[in-house]
Amino acid sequence: RIAVLLEADSLVTLLFSMTSSASVGPNANTEKKQYLCLFHAITSGLLADNLGSDEQEIIEMIYLIIDIEGKQTVGLQREYIRSSYTHVLTDECKEISGIDETLVFSSELNLDGALRKFDIFLRENTGVNVTFVCENCLHLRQCLHPESAKKSISLPNYYWKYFDLRLEFEKMYKTSECQNLISMSEKLNLCPISETDYCMRHIKLMELIVHQMLNDGHHFKEPESIMINLQQGICSMEDNIEESTVVRARGLPWQCTDQDVAKFFRGLNIEKGGVALCLSTQGRRNGEALVRFSTVEHRELALRRHKHHIGQRYIEVYKASGRDFLNVAGGSNSEAQAFLQRDGQVIIRMRGLPFDATAKDVIEFFTRGDIPTYVVDGEEGVLFVHYPDGRSTGDAFVMVKTENEASQALLKHKETMGARYIELFRSTTAEVQQVFRRSQDPKNFQTSLKDIPYAPLPILPPEMLTGGNKKDCIRVRNLPIECGIEQILEFLGIHAQHIIAQGVHMVYNAHGQPSGEAFIQMDSESASFNAAAHKNNKYMFFNGKKRYIEVLQCSGEDMNQILLGLVPSNLIPTNLQRPAMYSSHRATSLVPMSTLPPQMLSPNMSMSLAPPNQSSTIPNIPLTSTIPSTSSAPTMNGLHPNATFYPMQVFYYPTPSISPSIYLQAGQMHPTPMTFVLRGEAGQY
């Protein structure tokens, strides 16, 4: 038996048990042996159960190596580590640990140096197969791994597996009451340790407990693994996700990738495809991500990293639900699912593509230049994103096989394709599903005016609205553009009970944008009078802001006049550029009333929102050509004969905020309420 004791600033104590001088270096015998390395660390901040939650640096680490077969301690190493950012220890740290500040700040080793020194000791003197044992998971998961990731320190393999002493103790002695070293030692009737040094006292207690467990026949099997790299995975809307395993991270840099998020949570195990970057309504990353962990315990540890940093930005971490994660990462699009199952490692998102770009154009974009990048499966591996009508959104996804190829491909960021520069971003499976789901959602499908079929033009059934001069309606103005029907009902309060069925009409302007106005039909004139009297110029609180709302009593005729543009309103901008009008029969771009076929000008026909006693419907007769008329055309509701049709969108309560049924195919009539606006040149009436 040879004992070597070295004492210096680093306080290294090495003890070896050797049978001959030849066993000093690594050999076949030592390599086959199994060793446990008891590990304990303290930081310059909080200790005990809060270790690592304040993002402070490690200032002391201690290792103790035990030969499992021989059931004896063979090595001890202790290192003080100079802090890179902290120059004063907290009072709590000094009081609890009793550590001497001079030993910390006079140390010549930083964290990387201390890790290298221990690694050299293992490789040069033992050549052992080491598995770590920690009092709990905090020392590795919440301290060493997050700090090494932040400082870009590569950890050896033996730091990625460990035994949690509390869990092993519970397995061995079938008890869950012992949650710290003191209670474990009392359970085993071990003699108390008189050591005053905090770190050394803990490592010696661990040594006594582990030796007793080995003597009692415990076998240390199945160590816990720490996730090395985030793995990609596909999430379906039908997946059953544990509610208590998801967090929302907020405040991420806009260029943050899923790998950056995984790096922020280094030490905790994330499910495959468990990082879902959230997108804004414009399809850009909004600085939030939903992260799904493997266990509830890891999610609780993630919540402790609230306001830890990525660079100079602090990240907020909150609880989220499994449904929140599915709403972002889940998908059911077969085309996207097939793409995600291709044999590639990295997904790249392309944005800003010409709308007529083909897969061949995309392949040519990546292969041109001195260092070409080859897309997985060639042209078949290009995934374009489309709107429900088949139009391209200008986005596409491709997949490459390796990280090196991805890095080369991303160098083409903002290179041109035709006359357009192309943006390239590293993407994720969750982002692919999210982009596809949003592109197919009618709520996010913005149809331009030229894409709405115009012939024949459906007429709003007049029975849907009141008519005449009976003032049983109210006109609500100055609404926030994001405001919905629910917010209007909440604003009206008790007066909302007097609204008739399907009596709330949200009005969009000729550009298809919210006009900030709504018309509401009440069940009596007195109800509309009271609503206007009590709610006019009152404040609506919306999205943390308040604005006053105008509520005016009006009649069905007044409503008609406003929608038809006969009185001033913000529904139709005066500088509106008239769009071309399309139908399956290629009607001319403008349709003056004087050119309508005679059979469409029935004496009983009313346009748009006329009272019931003046109304009828327009037959479904295609506008095959314009028919010039030499005779004077009839005037309808006081409109000039050359008034032009413009599409208006009016949504009815309680129908959805956007209904696909408003986009009719040419030649079809539909029972859903519809309207259009008649408007001529300024000064014509």
Side-chain angles (χ1 to χ4, degrees), residues 35 81 220 259 283 340 345 381 399 435 444-445 448 517 603 613:
Y35 291 81
I81 301 167
F220 286 85
Q259 297 294 334
L340 294 174
Q345 185 176 348
M399 197 178 288
V435 169
N444 301 314
F445 175 44
S448 61
E517 295 194 26
N613 58 357

Side-chain angles (χ1 to χ4, degrees), residues 1 15-19 23 29-38 63-76 121-122 126-131 133 207 210-215 218 220:
R1 174 181 293 270
L15 300 172
F16 298 98
S17 211
M18 296 170 287
T19 57
S23 63
N29 293 329
T30 58
E31 288 178 358
K32 290 180 180 179
K33 282 190 174 184
Q34 297 293 318
Y35 291 81
L36 297 177
C37 179
L38 311 189
Y63 305 84
L64 188 144
I65 301 175
I66 296 177
D67 179 0
I68 296 178
E69 183 180 353
K71 299 178 182 179
Q72 58 184 341
T73 300
V74 297
L76 174 71
F121 159 62
L122 287 179
T126 62
V128 296
N129 185 359
V130 170
T131 305
V133 179
E207 179 186 17
V210 170
H211 276 301
Q212 185 64 49
M213 293 175 67
L214 291 174
N215 290 332
H218 181 66
F220 286 85

Side-chain angles (χ1 to χ4, degrees), residues 40 48 55 115 306 328 350 356 361 369 388 395-396 422 433 444 459 502 523 575 588 604 611:
H40 193 85
E55 208 179 5
L115 294 171
H306 179 60
V328 174
M350 308 179 71
D356 58 351
D361 297 329
D395 287 57
I422 309 302
Q433 306 246 48
N444 301 314
I459 302 301
Q502 293 191 328
D523 56 14
N575 60 348
T588 55
N604 297 325

Side-chain angles (χ1 to χ4, degrees), residues 452-496:
I452 302 177
Y454 283 79
L457 292 170
I459 302 301
L460 178 70
E463 62 271 12
M464 291 303 301
L465 292 175
T466 183
N469 295 319
K470 185 179 179 181
K471 293 196 172 185
D472 54 358
C473 303
I474 56 174
R475 177 186 182 188
V476 185
R477 302 182 60 186
N478 201 38
L479 294 167
I481 59 173
E482 305 93 349
C483 177
I485 290 174
E486 294 80 2
Q487 287 76 31
I488 295 177
L489 298 180
E490 182 180 355
F491 170 74
L492 291 177
I494 192 173
H495 300 285

